[in-house]
Amino acid sequence: MTRLTSDVLDAAWKVFDGARRVMVAMHQNPDGDALGSAIALTLGLRALGKDVHLVCPQPTPEIYDFLRPQELIESAVPRETPELAVLVDCDRPERTGALSEAVAQAPYSVVLDHHPPTSEFGTARVTDEDCAATAEVVYSLLRHRAVPVSYEMAEALLTALVTDTGGFRYPNTRPRTLEIAADLMRQGPSTADIAQKVYDTRSLAGLKLMSRALDSIQLSPNGHVAWARLSLGDYEVTGAKPEDTEGFVNMVHGLKGVDVAVILREEAPGSVRVSFRSRGGAPVGRAAEALGGGGHELAAACVLQGTLDEAEQRVLEELKKWTEF
Amino acid sequence: MTRLTSDVLDAAWKVFDGARRVMVAMHQNPDGDALGSAIALTLGLRALGKDVHLVCPQPTPEIYDFLRPQELIESAVPRETPELAVLVDCDRPERTGALSEAVAQAPYSVVLDHHPPTSEFGTARVTDEDCAATAEVVYSLLRHRAVPVSYEMAEALLTALVTDTGGFRYPNTRPRTLEIAADLMRQGPSTADIAQKVYDTRSLAGLKLMSRALDSIQLSPNGHVAWARLSLGDYEVTGAKPEDTEGFVNMVHGLKGVDVAVILREEAPGSVRVSFRSRGGAPVGRAAEALGGGGHELAAACVLQGTLDEAEQRVLEELKKWTEF
């Protein structure tokens, strides 16, 4: 891991300064941090006169439409190899899907990330696991070179901070995160606006589905494990879509005294996706791994074959190995 | 309204400095801001050697138990008139209920508040409507005199900020709010810890009740108004209590495209409490007033006599006068 020292930031700027044609790429299935960081960086480098192509071959989640991805992001994989490729919110070309080859073949590359390192890729790497979001890395880069932060750039970075910290509620939120958010707010955008845009976006079908998920919640005898389940029938009756379950597991986690929260969702006949959250009492990442999935220690997922009942039984049996029940 | 200028803070400190026996009082039905601000101020004044009694004749909400109100707060109305009374998060003695007389009779008084002024009470007044919380006022007072902010004081003030801004999601959140939160975090407490303690506290019965509320949601034809209803039967079946509905109206407000959200709750046979939220398209305070209630422009409530059906009909008829439906 590097830190955001003056030397590290200087080294990255040296690579940026040497290139005119830049491709900015983010990981597949981009989230608010990948999108917001990539957009702010793109606008910042353009302000310095560079020819920057922000490329994402996939559609971006609708809730981020206010960041105008349609105008800023190209979906076509570039034919020419870029002079410089920038990897945002990940640290290996493979994470970018269809852009992998273009990223890997660029003569120069810069990695901007806040995840634990998984490679040594990059002419320059600016990564810091202490940052709540890659947006903190991009912010530090821009401020280091005194690149003016416009309203659009501030809004993109603040969106990244708000979403990657769950509205400053996750333990990754540190004083510096709030100070950066304060500075970004001084450019015009507000946390209230952004939180409304990204959090107050449920459909009626989504709330009806949430009603069914909440109604299904069960608690383990000691009250430390809670789980909810949704069948294909629940989606049919409510008209909700799989993406409408975003955040449901956090609702289950909101139960007083609960350490581990689980949502089991039937994705297709005989296939059940399971999402886990833990406050630290149980390493749900290890449990998910044992079930053929993976993730972080405190947030993980797996897909099980079989009925909802079968999946529920397997999940509970596995959890009993990792935590008191 | 005053501002937190050096002169205003000096004037307040002059009154504090002149007294040794101080009573700190907050408004009835104290919330996180009243409690947190009063606790931090009490600890700060004690650190300066003063004999401070923090008094609240009512029980405080359970979710704030981690601030140790049982140890810090006295419930008995003081027999002796205090030398100095401090009013926290309100600006008139009457708002303190059973303490009104003691506050009004104290020879000196200081008002610390962030609401629009409703009186001129107070030997000194430090009030600023631009502050997201009274905690910002107390923080400024403490920092102005360089009173050391302990972990306990920081936790109390950060709790006040988190709760009064809805976790930095309400429009009252400003850059300065985040900067103060950052400074308080540097004393040890974290927004993540506090958010978990005050927000992740639903009971299973409460989530089952939420399930019923969500299932009942209806949308107006143009999708701008959404309402949910809970009957006495819903409370009976789930075993939930009236206080378990805290925040439900915000869930309804989270529907995409909705301006006005309403919850109708049967409180007793023939009595229905109605809560309103608006994003600004409709002045729900005026609508609630017309129905015999009151509140702010964007958040208000009223109580209607009759059945749930009758209350629903009256509310919708009234709302049609104030907003497109």
Side-chain angles (χ1 to χ4, degrees):
Chain A
M1 184 175 68
T2 59
R3 295 277 174 189
L4 305 185
T5 60
S6 205
D7 284 355
V8 166
L9 296 170
D10 281 340
W13 274 112
K14 210 170 158 187
V15 182
F16 283 124
D17 287 339
R20 223 194 70 76
R21 286 198 317 97
V22 182
M23 179 180 79
V24 174
M26 47 194 148
H27 58 73
Q28 285 189 291
N29 305 316
D31 56 5
D33 187 22
L35 266 172
S37 298
I39 287 173
L41 180 73
T42 298
L43 296 175
L45 292 177
R46 280 187 189 156
L48 296 176
K50 297 192 184 298
D51 176 20
V52 187
H53 295 264
L54 171 54
V55 188
C56 180
Q58 296 181 301
T60 57
E62 226 177 85
I63 55 163
Y64 301 115
D65 279 357
F66 67 99
L67 297 178
R68 299 182 299 126
Q70 327 69 300
E71 292 170 42
L72 294 164
I73 302 183
E74 302 164 29
S75 59
V77 177
R79 288 191 203 169
E80 287 178 69
T81 302
E83 228 180 308
L84 164 62
V86 187
L87 262 185
V88 175
D89 204 35
C90 59
D91 81 341
R92 278 179 296 132
E94 304 83 63
R95 292 292 316 282
T96 64
L99 295 177
S100 304
E101 218 175 305
V103 172
Q105 287 178 352
Y108 299 97
S109 54
V110 175
V111 167
L112 308 178
D113 197 14
H114 74 125
H115 296 97
T118 68
S119 86
E120 295 188 345
F121 179 81
T123 317
R125 293 172 65 90
V126 192
T127 71
D128 187 339
E129 288 175 60
D130 284 348
C131 287
T134 296
E136 289 194 25
V137 175
V138 171
Y139 172 90
S140 300
L141 262 180
L142 296 172
R143 284 295 190 215
H144 188 67
R145 178 54 68 92
V147 179
V149 173
S150 66
Y151 182 98
E152 283 75 19
M153 291 160 71
E155 189 180 36
L157 292 172
L158 195 55
T159 300
L161 290 183
V162 165
T163 53
D164 246 32
T165 60
F168 309 112
R169 287 190 193 181
Y170 298 158
N172 60 356
T173 309
R174 40 178 204 151
R176 175 94 179 123
T177 317
L178 295 174
E179 282 162 359
I180 294 174
D183 186 41
L184 295 171
M185 272 187 82
R186 292 198 195 279
Q187 313 308 314
S190 81
T191 55
D193 260 4
I194 289 169
Q196 187 201 316
K197 282 169 183 157
V198 300
Y199 292 120
D200 292 348
T201 59
R202 299 261 179 217
S203 64
L204 186 58
L207 282 188
K208 302 280 181 181
L209 188 73
M210 187 190 285
S211 165
R212 286 174 166 251
L214 295 175
D215 192 46
S216 80
I217 294 178
Q218 293 183 65
L219 264 181
S220 66
N222 71 3
H224 293 171
V225 180
W227 63 100
R229 31 186 284 172
L230 288 168
S231 69
L232 284 175
D234 290 320
Y235 287 91
E236 267 169 46
V237 169
T238 56
K241 295 177 198 148
E243 59 263 34
D244 287 322
T245 53
E246 175 79 30
F248 278 18
V249 71
N250 295 327
M251 300 281 309
V252 181
H253 219 182
L255 270 165
K256 195 172 181 176
V258 161
D259 175 38
V260 174
V262 183
I263 288 241
L264 300 109
R265 305 192 270 131
E266 197 176 12
E267 284 192 313
S271 178
V272 179
R273 174 170 291 273
V274 189
S275 303
F276 300 86
R277 289 284 185 288
S278 168
R279 290 196 204 289
V284 292
R286 312 268 293 277
E289 246 172 57
L291 293 166
H296 303 282
E297 180 96 350
L298 304 183
C302 66
V303 177
L304 298 175
Q305 303 311 312
T307 65
L308 260 179
D309 283 340
E310 286 162 2
E312 179 176 331
Q313 205 181 330
R314 283 186 64 193
V315 164
L316 298 183
E317 271 166 21
E318 188 59 42
L319 282 176
K320 284 174 190 168
K321 296 177 194 165
W322 299 98
T323 185
E324 295 190 18
F325 199 75
Chain B
M1 183 174 68
T2 59
R3 297 278 174 187
L4 306 184
T5 60
S6 204
D7 283 355
V8 166
L9 296 170
D10 281 340
W13 274 112
K14 210 170 159 188
V15 181
F16 284 124
D17 287 340
R20 223 194 70 76
R21 287 198 317 94
V22 182
M23 177 179 78
V24 174
M26 46 195 148
H27 58 75
Q28 283 189 296
N29 303 315
D31 57 5
D33 187 22
L35 266 172
S37 298
I39 287 173
L41 180 74
T42 298
L43 296 174
L45 293 177
R46 281 187 190 158
L48 295 177
K50 298 193 183 298
D51 176 20
V52 186
H53 294 264
L54 171 54
V55 189
C56 180
Q58 294 182 302
T60 58
E62 226 177 84
I63 55 164
Y64 300 115
D65 279 357
F66 66 99
L67 296 178
R68 300 182 298 126
Q70 329 67 298
E71 293 173 41
L72 294 164
I73 301 183
E74 300 165 30
S75 58
V77 178
R79 288 190 203 171
E80 288 180 68
T81 302
E83 225 181 311
L84 164 62
V86 186
L87 260 186
V88 176
D89 204 34
C90 59
D91 81 341
R92 276 180 298 133
E94 303 83 61
R95 293 293 315 283
T96 65
L99 295 177
S100 304
E101 217 174 310
V103 172
Q105 288 178 350
Y108 298 96
S109 55
V110 174
V111 168
L112 307 177
D113 197 12
H114 75 124
H115 295 97
T118 67
S119 85
E120 295 188 345
F121 179 81
T123 317
R125 292 172 65 92
V126 193
T127 72
D128 187 339
E129 287 175 59
D130 285 347
C131 287
T134 297
E136 289 194 24
V137 175
V138 171
Y139 172 90
S140 301
L141 262 181
L142 296 171
R143 284 298 190 213
H144 188 67
R145 176 56 68 93
V147 179
V149 173
S150 67
Y151 183 98
E152 282 75 17
M153 291 159 72
E155 191 180 35
L157 291 173
L158 195 55
T159 300
L161 289 184
V162 166
T163 53
D164 246 31
T165 61
F168 309 112
R169 288 191 193 181
Y170 298 158
N172 60 356
T173 309
R174 42 178 203 154
R176 174 95 180 123
T177 317
L178 295 174
E179 282 162 358
I180 294 174
D183 185 42
L184 294 171
M185 272 187 83
R186 292 197 195 279
Q187 313 308 315
S190 81
T191 55
D193 261 5
I194 289 168
Q196 187 201 314
K197 282 169 183 156
V198 299
Y199 292 121
D200 292 349
T201 58
R202 298 259 178 218
S203 64
L204 187 58
L207 282 188
K208 302 278 181 184
L209 187 73
M210 187 190 285
S211 165
R212 285 173 169 254
L214 295 175
D215 192 45
S216 79
I217 294 178
Q218 293 183 65
L219 265 181
S220 66
N222 70 4
H224 293 171
V225 180
W227 63 100
R229 30 186 285 172
L230 289 168
S231 68
L232 284 175
D234 291 320
Y235 288 91
E236 267 169 44
V237 170
T238 57
K241 295 176 200 151
E243 61 263 34
D244 287 322
T245 53
E246 174 78 30
F248 279 17
V249 70
N250 294 328
M251 300 281 309
V252 181
H253 219 183
L255 270 165
K256 194 172 180 176
V258 161
D259 176 38
V260 174
V262 183
I263 289 240
L264 301 110
R265 305 192 271 131
E266 197 177 12
E267 285 191 314
S271 177
V272 179
R273 175 170 292 272
V274 188
S275 302
F276 300 86
R277 289 286 185 288
S278 168
R279 291 196 202 294
V284 293
R286 311 268 292 279
E289 246 172 59
L291 292 165
H296 302 281
E297 180 95 351
L298 304 182
C302 66
V303 176
L304 297 176
Q305 303 310 313
T307 66
L308 259 179
D309 283 340
E310 286 162 0
E312 179 176 330
Q313 206 182 327
R314 282 185 62 193
V315 164
L316 298 184
E317 270 167 23
E318 188 59 41
L319 281 176
K320 282 175 192 170
K321 296 179 195 165
W322 299 97
T323 183
E324 294 193 17
F325 199 75

